[in-house]
Amino acid sequence: MAAPITAQPNDGIQDEESFDEGSYTTSIASSITDYKYEHGRRYHAYQEGRYVLPNDEEEQNRMNLQYHAMRLAFGDKSFFAPLGDKVQRIIDAGTGTGIWVEDVYGIDLSPIQPRWSAPNVKYQVDDLEQPWTFPPAHFDLVHTRIMLGSLRDWPAFFTQSFKHLRPGGYIECQELAVDARADDDTVTKDSAITAWCRNQEEAMQKLGMTLMVTGDMIKKQMQEAGFVDIEVKEFKVPIGQWPADKQMRETGAFQLVAMLEGISGLTMALWTRFLGWKKEDVEDELMKVKKEFKSTHVHSYWPVYAVYGRKPVE
């Protein structure tokens, strides 16, 4: 279990009124076109409706900030599976903006990756829940990061991964549970943050998916697909600058900006399409959630799990 995060003294820390979002913001360029628009946000067109989050520049910024926060929490590691030095082929399932890939085949529903890439990087727009077009026993690593809300049939995904991994190859899933917590109970049951997590899960369940995950859940499904030597690593990604530890505080700053700038995109389509909310009511509720996230009196974090397993050598 991940250790508790110690909060620094509150004196002198930026609180919700003085936090400067712009100082931690990054930007990237969008690429290809052919999209759908709703509530002023852009959504993918390929397999329309399969993925309910936007794919516009604002969402790409959030994804990149989220990636940096998790990378910091992971101690600057992209993955934990013991691959050795003979890796030839990696597939990044749900590659998103593709900013981390190297020696990788990136797959995603949205064509938002860079037009340029290194010769050893390829991107493909495809649906991972359809039969894969790759040969069996082809990859050394199948890698995912935050695919909750994207995959409906995880057992089928693990089965396909097992088929297309070479014997001795690894799968690694890095997942963030949308279940905000605090070790000191500063995220209460009646808080706006808790209500937001609950509504996100309710909407996702109507799509046949869940945002609540544990390492043991992932491990069990990997075992059922045939993987062995499965390891579960647990992490906490703080939301905000409240931690006493310098690196955790930096992690929290990236995560906070990701939430402040991205929460509308994470929420709007889900609540208006599946929960019957009006746009204006969603915006009012998100103001309350943002205020709690920005408060250094609220010591919130996301539970994060990195789970990897090996395909047996036949």
Side-chain angles (χ1 to χ4, degrees):
M1 180 177 293
I5 307 173
T6 303
Q8 63 174 327
N10 205 59
D11 295 342
I13 306 176
Q14 290 178 317
D15 210 337
E16 57 264 32
E17 299 303 325
S18 61
F19 184 83
D20 182 11
E21 298 175 32
S23 63
Y24 291 96
T25 304
T26 62
S27 64
I28 60 175
S30 60
S31 52
I32 316 172
T33 58
D34 189 17
Y35 302 111
K36 305 298 180 183
Y37 293 83
E38 182 179 341
H39 297 305
R41 302 300 300 270
R42 190 186 73 190
Y43 295 82
H44 75 281
Y46 176 67
Q47 298 278 47
E48 183 182 356
R50 281 281 295 108
Y51 182 68
V52 294
L53 301 186
N55 71 352
D56 50 22
E57 184 171 347
E58 187 175 349
E59 172 63 6
Q60 292 176 52
N61 290 343
R62 183 200 68 81
M63 293 169 69
N64 288 340
L65 288 162
Q66 180 68 69
Y67 161 77
H68 285 298
M70 290 185 68
R71 180 93 178 225
L72 286 168
F74 290 166
D76 205 33
K77 293 180 181 292
S78 294
F79 47 82
F80 297 92
L83 300 181
D85 56 0
K86 296 183 180 180
V87 177
Q88 294 183 342
R89 297 187 184 96
I90 297 174
I91 179 171
D92 187 37
T95 196
T97 64
I99 63 170
W100 81 274
V101 296
E102 180 179 353
D103 295 311
V104 167
Y105 211 116
I107 307 294
D108 202 279
L109 277 172
S110 288
I112 58 174
Q113 299 76 36
R115 295 191 182 199
W116 57 267
S117 64
N120 56 352
V121 175
K122 296 181 180 180
Y123 298 111
Q124 178 174 320
V125 178
D126 209 344
D127 185 347
L128 287 165
E129 295 197 286
Q130 298 298 317
W132 294 8
T133 58
F134 306 104
H138 187 66
F139 293 104
D140 299 293
L141 173 68
V142 175
H143 175 276
T144 75
R145 179 180 291 125
I146 312 184
M147 289 295 285
L148 295 177
S150 300
L151 288 177
R152 287 168 171 79
D153 192 344
W154 280 87
F157 170 74
F158 288 127
T159 297
Q160 289 215 81
S161 298
F162 191 89
K163 175 183 177 181
H164 292 279
L165 278 168
R166 65 167 179 80
Y170 281 86
I171 184 170
E172 179 164 332
C173 298
Q174 301 168 354
E175 293 300 328
L176 181 154
V178 184
D179 182 20
R181 303 175 186 177
D183 294 327
D184 57 2
D185 298 324
T186 51
V187 176
T188 62
K189 293 182 179 180
D190 59 352
S191 69
I193 292 174
T194 299
W196 180 80
C197 294
R198 185 169 56 246
N199 285 341
Q200 290 290 102
E201 174 66 6
E202 180 183 349
M204 275 297 178
Q205 285 194 5
K206 292 186 177 183
L207 280 166
M209 293 180 280
T210 181
L211 298 173
M212 303 294 183
V213 68
T214 67
D216 287 339
M217 289 168 58
I218 299 171
K219 179 179 180 178
K220 182 176 183 294
Q221 292 184 351
M222 283 186 180
Q223 287 174 329
E224 291 171 348
F227 291 99
V228 297
D229 298 336
I230 301 170
E231 297 289 337
V232 178
K233 294 183 177 293
E234 298 185 15
F235 300 88
K236 296 176 180 179
V237 175
I239 310 165
Q241 295 183 293
W242 58 266
D245 178 79
K246 181 179 179 181
Q247 181 166 324
M248 293 294 282
R249 194 159 60 248
E250 183 181 2
T251 303
F254 275 104
Q255 182 61 74
L256 177 59
V257 177
M259 292 306 301
L260 297 180
E261 296 193 351
I263 194 169
S264 178
L266 294 172
T267 310
M268 191 61 68
L270 283 173
W271 291 24
T272 55
R273 294 182 196 176
F274 304 106
L275 301 184
W277 285 57
K278 295 181 179 179
K279 180 176 182 289
E280 296 76 14
D281 294 334
V282 175
E283 291 172 342
D284 289 344
E285 185 66 20
L286 293 186
M287 291 295 292
K288 302 174 187 176
V289 181
K290 288 181 179 181
K291 182 176 181 179
E292 289 186 3
F293 276 138
K294 288 190 288 185
S295 173
T296 53
H297 298 285
V298 178
H299 303 152
S300 57
Y301 66 84
W302 300 121
V304 173
Y305 307 93
V307 186
Y308 63 84
R310 180 174 59 84
K311 180 177 179 177
V313 177
E314 299 175 353

